[in-house]
Amino acid sequence: MTDDTQRKYVVEKSDDEWRAQLSPAEYQVLRRAGTEPAFVGEYTDTKTIGVYRCRACQAELFRSETKFDSHCGWPSFFAPLAEERVEYIEDVTMGMKRVEVRCANCGSHLGHVFEGEGYGTPTDLRYCINSISLTLDPA
């Protein structure tokens, strides 16, 4: 994750507190902007109706009604629950320009958002989100 010391979040914890709260795999993705392997996440193919929350702080981020099958290996959504629920950070790692998506409540890494890929969604956006960054609260 980029050094973003100027940004203040509603939920702020020390690195040691995050490590104590999260499993090593969760910590690597949520706090160090890692990526879980494709096609292994628990929500990749889930059809359960409900609200997806940030695993780190439980902020509501996405609704199941905006989830779609992109066949990319990670859960995909065409819109967040509300625009102020997420923040966008330019990501130039891996030799390309991408847009990182973080939880606006705690700053945890969620995944990336891509535009113009041709999916038949209302927004032409694909929020490619790590399952390990989310918990599902079934309706």
Side-chain angles (χ1 to χ4, degrees):
M1 196 175 287
T2 60
D3 181 37
D4 203 12
T5 55
Q6 304 304 318
R7 174 78 165 112
K8 295 293 182 193
Y9 296 101
V10 173
V11 175
E12 292 204 13
K13 296 183 181 187
S14 70
D15 198 52
D16 287 340
E17 289 172 311
W18 285 121
R19 286 181 187 274
Q21 175 186 329
L22 303 168
S23 73
E26 291 167 347
Y27 179 85
Q28 178 60 30
V29 173
L30 288 158
R31 303 310 303 169
R32 291 291 170 247
T35 301
E36 68 187 345
F39 299 103
V40 301
E42 69 179 301
Y43 301 126
T44 302
D45 297 316
T46 300
K47 305 287 188 219
T48 305
I49 303 297
V51 175
Y52 288 87
R53 298 175 177 269
C54 174
R55 189 175 297 261
C57 73
Q58 295 303 305
E60 293 183 351
L61 299 172
F62 299 94
R63 292 204 183 280
S64 58
E65 292 83 3
T66 65
K67 189 172 185 286
F68 70 99
D69 292 327
S70 66
H71 308 290
C72 71
W74 295 274
S76 295
F77 303 86
F78 61 79
L81 185 89
E83 206 51 47
E84 69 272 4
R85 303 292 176 104
V86 296
E87 68 174 337
Y88 304 98
I89 309 293
E90 183 177 294
D91 178 359
V92 292
T93 61
M94 302 184 73
M96 65 180 112
K97 185 177 176 183
R98 301 183 296 173
V99 178
E100 178 186 359
V101 180
R102 292 186 192 175
C103 173
N105 198 51
C106 71
S108 289
H109 173 77
L110 303 172
H112 290 85
V113 62
F114 302 94
E115 183 177 16
E117 296 179 315
Y119 290 103
T121 62
T123 63
D124 199 25
L125 298 173
R126 177 174 60 94
Y127 288 78
C128 183
I129 306 298
N130 292 286
S131 284
I132 202 166
S133 296
L134 302 171
T135 58
L136 175 58
D137 187 9

